[in-house]
Every structure is written in C-alpha cells, then in structure tokens.
Amino acid sequence: MNLKISLYLIFINIIITYGQQTSKLVKTENDLDTFSMIDELRKLNSEGDPRNYYHWNEQLATIYLSQISKAAPEEKLNFWFRYCQQLLKSGENQECIDEIENLISRQKLSYQDLITKDLLPIIELLALAYLRLGESTNCQNNHNAFSCILPLKDQAYHIDVNGSKKAIILYTQIFDKFPNETYKWLINLAYMTIGKHPDGVPEKYFINHPNWNIERKKFPSFKEVALDLGIAHDGLSGGVSVEDFNNDGLIDIFMTSYGMTDQSKLFINTGKGFIDQTEESGLKGIVSGLNCIHADYDNDGNIDIFILRGAWLGRGGNHPNSLLKNNGDGTFTDVTKAAGLLSFHPTQTAAWADVNNDGFLDLFIGNESRKSQSHPCELYINQKNGRFLEQSGNYNLSSIEGFVKGVAFGDINNDNWPDLYLSVMGGANLLFRNDFGKFKDISKTAGVQGPKFSFPTWFWDVNNDGFIDIFVASYDTSNLKNLAGDYAKEIQGDEVLTNKSRLFMNNGDETFSDQSKKYNIDKSLYAMGSNFGDLDNDGWLDFYIGTGSPEFTSVIPNRMFRNSEGKSFEEVTSAGGFGHIQKGHGVGFADLDNDGDQDIYTVLGGAYEGDNYPNICFENPISKNNWIILKLEGVESNRSAIGTQLKLDLQNGRSIYYSINTGGSFGANSLQAEIGIGSSKLIDTLTIRWPNSKAQIFKRIEGNKKYKLVEGENKLVEEPYQKIQLKGREIMQHHN
C-alpha cells in the first residue's frame, strides 16, 4: 500500500512539475522575440572588436599594454601613450597619473621638459588626468544635488582639492608656453572647483562670466532633485522618454545608456515617489541605446517605446534597434522582429508620424552613412496589424544616405500632411514636403540647408503665428578639440568662427528665413541632447541644450534659453541653475509632480567607459502663470494624436498654437499637451485640428485643469489633477 501511495505521489508530482514547465514554456514562447533580442545584444557584446567602440576602453588598454613589449623601440612610446589614454578613458585616473609621473621620474625630467611641441600630448594628458581625478573623487564618489552646476556653490566645492590644484599647476605652465582658450577655460574651471574663482585667479588666466552674478528676479531658480527622488541613474550618454506608461495619470521615466551592457531603466511614478520597475516590466537584458522615442504604434491605448542603437560606431554600428510593445499589464515585450523592424544600421534618431494619414503611425529612421559605408534611411509603413513594411522607395525617400543626426516631422503648410526635416552632419540638411503621401525635396527653395555641421533639430512655433518654424543646433565635429575654447571666447565677447545654430522662421509660403541672429541664438552650441517646453507657462516655447563631446576637455555648461514673447531668446542658464558641466544627452520636459508646470529630466554622461555620471532632474518651482493640460485620444486619427494641431484663443485676446509630438530629436517629451496660458485663466475658444477628421471647437474652457478628449466626442472630460509630493525611494549607487 505504501509503495502504491509512493508511486501515486511521484506520479502526481511529475504531473504538477510538467504543468509548471508547460506554463513556463507558454510564457517563454510569448516572449521569444524579447529573448532573441537579448541574445543578439549579448552576441554583439561578446564578438565585438574593442577598436570599433568608444566605451571598451579597459579592453583597449590591455591591448596596447601587451603591444608595448612587442613594438620596435621607436614605437614603444607611442603604444605606451595610447595605453595611458585608455586608462584615463576607462576611469582609471590615478593609474594614468602614476604611469606618466613614473616616466617623468625615471627619465629625470621636469614638467617643463615635456612642454614641447613633440611631447606636449603627454603633459596635456597628465593635466587632464589630475582634473578628472578631482572630478571623480568629489563629484562622482561624493555626489550631491549641487555637484558640477555653474556657478558653483559651497556644497559643490571639492573637498579633496589635490586633483584640481595639480591641474592648475600643469595647465598654467602649458598655457604660458602654448596659450589658447581651452587651457584658459580649464584653469578657470579648476579654480572654480576649489572656491577660488574669481578672486583667486591670476589676471593673466582669468575669464569672467558676465551672467553668473546677474540676478534675474523674473526667472526662478530650479532645484536639482534626481538624487532625492532615486532617479539619478548613473550611466553613460543615453536617451529618455517621459510619459505615462501605465495609464494611471502620472508621468513615468524610461531611459537608455550607450554602453553595450548598460541596462535600460524604467522608473514608475507612484504618486509618492519613483520605483525602479525595470525587471518587473520584462526589460532585464534590454541593454544599450543612445536614444529612445515613444508612441502608441498599434492603437491599443498603451504607449510603446522604440530604442535606437549603433550611432557613431561606423563599422561597429551594426546594432539592431528595439520596438518594445507595452502589453498594458505593466510589462513590455521586444517585438522588433515580429513587427518587421529588424535591421542593422548605425542610428540614434527616428520619428513617428502618420505619413499616409490612414490612422496608424509610421516610423522614419535616420541612419548614418559614411563614404565607405552605405546605410540608407528607412521609412516603415504601419500595416495596421502590428507589422511594418520598409517602403521608403514608394514615398520618394530611398536615396537618403547622409550622416543623419536628427529627424523631425511637422506640418509646414497646414495641409494636415506631416512634412519631414533631417539634420545631416557634414552635409546639407533636408526638408521634404509631403504631397498627399509622396515626399518632395524642397530643401533649396525653402532655404533650410544649413549649417553644415548640425545635430538635434525640431519643429515648433516660436512666435505663435500659426506656422511652425525649424530649429537645428550646431555641432562642429571638425573643431571638437577646441570646444571649451570656443565657449570661453563666446562668454568673453569674442567672435567664434565655427558653425552656428540656425532658427528658420516660416514665411507661410513654404520658404523660411534664417533669423538666428535676431533671436540671439546664432551660437556654436555644440549641442548633443536637447528639447523644448514652456518653463514659466507664459505660452512661449523655451529650449534646453545638452552640450559636449566625447573628449574629457569638453566640460562646458548645458544651457537654457527662454523665449521672450516670440521676439528673441535670453539665456537663463545661470539664473535657473541649469549650468551643469557634465555632458548632456536625452532631454525630456514633463510635469512630473502634477503642479501644472514642466520639470526637466536629462541624461548625463559621455561615451567613454569612465565617463559615467548620475542623471539629473530639475524641479520647476510653481509658476504664477496659468496652464491647461490636454490628453487627446485619436479614433480616426492615430490614438497618440501625433500631428494634431491646437489653437487656444485666450480671454485676453492672445492666441497660442501647439502641436502634439514628443519635441526634439534627442529626448522625448510627454505626449499629453502641457500648455502655458500666461495671465489668462480662461480659454475663450479651443480649436483642435485632428489629422484624420474635422476640427472640433470648444468654448470657454477653464484653465489650471486637466481634460481628456476622445476624437469626435463633443465634451472635454475633466480629470483629477492635484500636486503630488514626490519622495525618494531608493539610494543612489555609484559605479566607476
């Protein structure tokens, strides 16, 4: 009997176990695409060549170290120097310093002995290593909310001053023999970090920043709160999407990081704080990516995410992008292959739009072609069944093979068909008019081809005249070594000769006028990440620029520009506390705390392995101006309502124009319309022009409220919207 019972129990156990395994298998089969992408990314990481990547510096250091002993005598110094460079880039600052100082000691040299034309790179590297040592010791390992934000305050001064003091000694000696503005800026920066600027800087090396001591009472100071909120994720350069991913009415944060093994992150807003839901959302193993954008591609009411990979890597950039389908239950599935979007091209820029006005969003991807490598841009047309087909040829877009760095859709002529603008690094920028589903190149006649070296771009209505304008930011790759020097020249009032950013104002006849100088933004911004929003709810769109380059010398402030009533822009970098000197990338504007004004989340960090840095979040102080938030849901039009045009005629006689999109080409804003209406508390007339149906008009809408509107319905539905008190939920973790 006991034997029979035992056998029965064993049999039952087998059945239960088999059932559990079957259940797991079913789940696995549903997630096959996700696992396939994870495996693909792992393969790229395991089989990649370190020489093709910015961020495999530790491996490169090992390679160059091994080559020193094998090299011919005349080449040994060269391999040793490359080894030292990679030590610095991998974050091994002290090891780099020790190598160079030991060489100096062994050879019985002085610093002055190395300040020659031939040996200058060695002493430059040593000075930079000391500067980086101070930064890593203080700003990374002892990070606080004031770290690295110019003008530096007491809380931001270095506790360990040794690195900065040594950098000052070296850079002043270098400057004395080979004067240039980059050395001068780095000297001043080092003095700032130890609290000795301006009074402690010798006149010979002094750079005055005229804006640092100017108080603008009209513009408030923003507070950096990422550390407090547990969202100061520490990583390399990357993208960000700020959006309500779980449909609970609160804005969440999704971000990526450039490193091959860097995990993407999803932080969910609970109304009390942010929690890291990455693993619970099925995203573990979805790594890498320099940018991301979001939209509801399948019209199921859940916002999906598209990750872009392989940018800047040339032959090493054969990385697949990822389409993450939001399942509506708190999880995401990588459906790239199933959706027909699997390709292997280097890119970091794409945009969603309904290019054929069939009610479903399509996807344009701007790829990076070089002289020796062809990577044509791609246009994926939504087949309305969860799949896409690449049809650039059918839409007259098949011949685009430039080094594309920015993509934006907008309706330049108000015909309800989305037009396309491309920022092309090192070539002429491109504008394509959408002629009812076919695109025509009108770049030359429109007058929007400059500048030659550009990066992020977007459409926006700067002056609220009902015609969208174009901004394209400069990024002169031919002059990156002098980036800091150019900034120093600018703030001293000297002419900077590199490529300037452009503001093309719409003339209303499919042509544009360059009015960059008039609007005070004809500057060499060296912009990477960027986006726009309305900081003070005055109804005029402002913008934020993330600056820098991969080089460690490119330590200049990220910058903020306020729109002065559609007539010009004034810089409020210092006044608003935005001048973070770490490299800025993905930027997202959104109301994170439901108080009616837009906060800003920015991904910081560089491309090299050791250039990681915590991301930042600027909390907007409550604005005295009024606002309205509109959550639009398309029915005949795409569900995200992308491409919808809004006109708000205010009680005071003013009109404000707003387009539904995610903003700039590096970083993605929320798709809910967060619109400042200035002093007016009432909207006399709200006109909503949907892409695929008749316009809807609503009268006498109260401000300072959130409304939802479903396309075709005749009523704006007020939704609860009260300020939430966000508090931190996790402790920041540093990694070097």
Side-chain angles (χ1 to χ4, degrees):
M1 178 63 80
N2 289 338
L3 180 60
K4 288 183 178 179
I5 292 173
S6 297
L7 290 171
Y8 176 76
L9 291 174
I10 291 170
F11 177 74
I12 293 296
N13 186 58
I14 290 171
I15 295 295
I16 293 171
T17 303
Y18 178 77
Q20 291 172 340
Q21 291 175 342
T22 302
S23 176
K24 291 179 180 177
L25 181 62
V26 170
K27 183 181 178 181
T28 299
E29 288 177 349
N30 290 336
D31 292 339
L32 279 179
D33 264 5
T34 298
F35 294 137
S36 176
M37 179 59 70
I38 292 171
D39 287 341
E40 184 68 43
L41 296 172
R42 286 174 178 168
K43 181 180 178 183
L44 280 169
N45 183 55
S46 64
E47 298 180 358
D49 186 341
R51 290 167 294 186
N52 291 332
Y53 295 93
Y54 281 100
H55 44 265
W56 283 14
N57 308 108
E58 186 176 345
Q59 293 187 46
L60 280 170
T62 302
I63 291 172
Y64 290 133
L65 179 62
S66 68
Q67 291 176 331
I68 295 173
S69 60
K70 304 174 186 177
E74 65 272 14
E75 289 294 325
K76 287 185 182 296
L77 182 63
N78 182 42
F79 282 111
W80 171 85
F81 180 70
R82 292 183 184 181
Y83 168 62
C84 292
Q85 283 182 310
Q86 298 304 323
L87 284 176
L88 183 64
K89 291 177 180 180
S90 64
E92 302 294 343
N93 307 306
Q94 188 63 59
E95 287 79 356
C96 177
I97 290 169
D98 291 343
E99 278 289 329
I100 300 175
E101 291 284 14
N102 287 337
L103 173 73
I104 293 172
S105 178
R106 288 195 308 270
Q107 299 298 322
K108 299 180 179 180
L109 301 171
S110 68
Y111 292 153
Q112 285 293 333
D113 292 331
L114 292 174
I115 306 175
T116 65
K117 185 177 180 181
D118 293 334
L119 299 178
L120 183 62
I122 298 175
I123 198 69
E124 283 183 319
L125 186 63
L126 181 61
L128 185 58
Y130 275 116
L131 194 68
R132 291 287 300 175
L133 181 66
E135 181 183 302
S136 62
T137 303
N138 295 274
C139 306
Q140 291 179 312
N141 298 345
N142 294 288
H143 181 67
N144 64 57
F146 301 92
S147 297
C148 292
I149 298 177
L150 300 184
L152 298 181
K153 301 178 181 178
D154 290 343
Q155 301 95 322
Y157 293 150
H158 288 188
I159 298 171
D160 183 349
V161 300
N162 293 317
S164 290
K165 284 188 172 182
K166 201 66 181 237
I168 290 170
I169 293 171
L170 289 166
Y171 276 123
T172 52
Q173 291 185 36
I174 298 170
F175 180 87
D176 288 343
K177 194 164 185 178
F178 297 101
N180 70 44
E181 294 303 304
T182 295
Y183 299 143
K184 196 174 184 180
W185 169 253
L186 296 176
I187 291 168
N188 280 259
L189 184 63
Y191 273 110
M192 294 174 207
T193 65
I194 59 177
K196 300 295 184 180
H197 188 283
D199 296 337
V201 186
E203 184 177 354
K204 180 180 182 180
Y205 311 111
F206 178 63
I207 295 176
N208 183 41
H209 196 304
N211 293 329
W212 287 348
N213 298 317
I214 294 176
E215 295 292 331
R216 291 184 174 88
K217 296 181 179 180
K218 294 182 179 180
F219 195 84
S221 178
F222 282 50
K223 183 181 180 183
E224 207 286 281
V225 295
L227 189 60
D228 293 341
L229 300 182
I231 53 177
H233 179 64
D234 193 357
L236 301 181
S237 55
V240 63
S241 287
V242 284
E243 187 56 88
D244 180 8
F245 290 111
N246 57 0
N247 289 326
D248 65 351
L250 302 173
I251 299 296
D252 312 304
I253 302 171
F254 177 87
M255 70 193 72
T256 62
S257 182
Y258 194 40
M260 286 291 295
T261 59
D262 289 359
Q263 176 65 56
S264 58
K265 286 285 183 177
L266 176 64
F267 290 95
I268 295 295
N269 188 342
T270 68
K272 297 180 180 179
F274 286 89
I275 57 175
D276 187 342
Q277 288 287 101
T278 304
E279 190 165 349
E280 294 83 350
S281 298
L283 296 171
K284 187 176 181 180
I286 301 299
V287 298
S288 188
L290 191 53
N291 197 12
C292 54
I293 56 171
H294 59 273
D296 183 1
Y297 79 91
D298 52 1
N299 287 348
D300 66 351
N302 303 306
I303 299 295
D304 314 293
I305 303 169
F306 191 66
I307 300 175
L308 296 134
R309 300 188 179 99
W312 299 104
L313 298 181
R315 296 192 182 281
N318 57 330
H319 296 192
N321 302 318
S322 278
L323 178 61
L324 304 178
K325 175 178 169 57
N326 187 337
N327 300 315
D329 59 0
T331 67
F332 290 79
T333 301
D334 192 310
V335 297
T336 311
K337 187 176 181 180
L341 290 173
L342 185 64
S343 63
F344 298 88
H345 301 289
T347 185
Q348 70 171 63
T349 186
W352 296 100
D354 185 0
V355 301
N356 54 6
N357 275 350
D358 65 353
F360 283 78
L361 290 172
D362 312 298
L363 180 66
F364 185 91
I365 303 175
N367 294 319
E368 298 176 353
S369 290
R370 303 170 185 255
K371 290 182 179 180
S372 59
Q373 298 170 262
S374 175
H375 294 284
C377 295
E378 301 162 287
L379 176 63
Y380 287 95
I381 299 298
N382 198 321
Q383 301 302 293
K384 310 179 188 179
N385 59 359
R387 291 186 58 80
F388 294 79
L389 285 179
E390 205 292 308
Q391 296 189 5
S392 56
N394 294 336
Y395 287 79
N396 299 333
L397 296 173
S398 60
S399 60
I400 305 173
E401 292 194 3
F403 199 81
V404 178
K405 297 307 297 179
V407 174
F409 280 107
D411 186 1
I412 65 168
N413 52 9
N414 294 331
D415 65 353
N416 270 22
W417 291 85
D419 310 298
L420 174 65
Y421 187 73
L422 307 180
S423 169
V424 183
M425 181 75 69
N429 297 331
L430 300 170
L431 176 62
F432 295 91
R433 185 183 66 211
N434 189 338
D435 290 339
F436 313 107
K438 298 287 186 178
F439 287 91
K440 181 179 180 179
D441 186 348
I442 61 169
S443 313
K444 290 183 180 180
T445 58
V448 294
Q449 292 183 295
K452 183 178 179 181
F453 295 95
S454 62
F455 198 159
T457 187
W458 58 73
F459 288 103
W460 56 345
D461 194 344
V462 171
N463 56 357
N464 274 319
D465 66 349
F467 289 93
I468 58 170
D469 313 299
I470 299 171
F471 177 76
V472 56
S474 60
Y475 190 79
D476 197 338
T477 55
S478 68
N479 198 53
L480 293 182
K481 289 185 177 181
N482 299 317
L483 185 157
D486 280 350
Y487 178 73
K489 287 180 181 179
E490 181 195 318
I491 62 176
Q492 294 175 98
D494 298 331
E495 181 67 19
V496 179
L497 301 177
T498 56
N499 278 227
K500 308 284 181 66
S501 301
R502 304 290 178 86
L503 177 62
F504 297 114
M505 300 296 292
N506 196 325
N507 298 320
D509 59 359
E510 300 182 358
T511 68
F512 293 76
S513 299
D514 182 0
Q515 298 189 26
S516 317
K517 191 171 185 177
K518 174 184 175 181
Y519 278 79
N520 193 36
I521 53 177
D522 57 331
K523 304 178 185 297
S524 299
L525 292 178
Y526 292 98
M528 297 187 296
S530 61
N531 220 319
F532 63 90
D534 186 358
L535 295 176
D536 49 5
N537 280 337
D538 64 352
W540 303 100
L541 294 174
D542 318 301
F543 71 100
Y544 178 100
I545 291 291
T547 65
S549 81
E551 299 305 316
F552 284 142
T553 55
S554 63
V555 277
I556 64 173
N558 298 312
R559 305 172 74 171
M560 184 73 79
F561 294 85
R562 178 181 178 270
N563 190 333
S564 298
E565 299 183 344
K567 300 174 183 178
S568 183
F569 285 91
E570 66 170 333
E571 186 163 1
V572 293
T573 299
S574 302
F578 300 111
H580 212 295
I581 62 172
Q582 298 295 328
K583 300 172 178 64
H585 291 86
V587 179
F589 284 71
D591 186 5
L592 298 176
D593 53 3
N594 280 15
D595 65 352
D597 49 35
Q598 291 186 309
D599 312 294
I600 304 164
Y601 190 88
T602 302
V603 176
L604 300 182
Y608 298 136
E609 191 174 22
D611 203 10
N612 58 289
Y613 200 82
N615 298 338
I616 55 175
C617 181
F618 291 110
E619 181 184 17
N620 195 331
I622 298 176
S623 172
K624 66 179 182 180
N625 287 322
N626 302 295
W627 50 271
I628 186 173
I629 293 178
L630 297 168
K631 182 69 174 178
L632 303 184
E633 182 179 308
V635 176
E636 293 184 37
S637 305
N638 67 89
R639 190 148 178 176
S640 295
I642 289 175
T644 301
Q645 306 291 325
L646 310 178
K647 182 186 180 189
L648 292 77
D649 297 312
L650 306 183
Q651 185 183 30
N652 58 11
R654 182 183 166 199
S655 294
I656 293 174
Y657 295 85
Y658 189 94
S659 301
I660 303 296
N661 55 60
T662 56
S665 61
F666 202 163
N669 297 341
S670 170
L671 288 169
Q672 69 176 18
E674 301 170 355
I675 307 172
I677 55 176
S679 60
S680 183
K681 294 183 179 180
L682 185 71
I683 300 166
D684 275 343
T685 305
L686 170 64
T687 304
I688 301 175
R689 186 159 61 90
W690 301 91
N692 292 68
S693 65
K694 295 181 180 179
Q696 293 182 261
I697 299 175
F698 300 89
K699 296 288 188 178
R700 300 192 65 79
I701 311 300
E702 290 186 55
N704 302 322
K705 293 181 178 181
K706 179 180 179 181
Y707 301 92
K708 181 178 178 180
L709 175 66
V710 178
E711 183 179 10
E713 297 186 358
N714 58 9
K715 185 179 180 181
L716 292 171
V717 179
E718 185 180 345
E719 293 195 337
Y721 205 74
Q722 295 181 334
K723 180 175 173 59
I724 56 179
Q725 296 294 329
L726 296 176
K727 298 179 181 179
R729 285 294 188 90
E730 51 183 61
I731 298 174
M732 238 288 298
Q733 301 237 341
H734 293 283
H735 60 83
N736 291 323

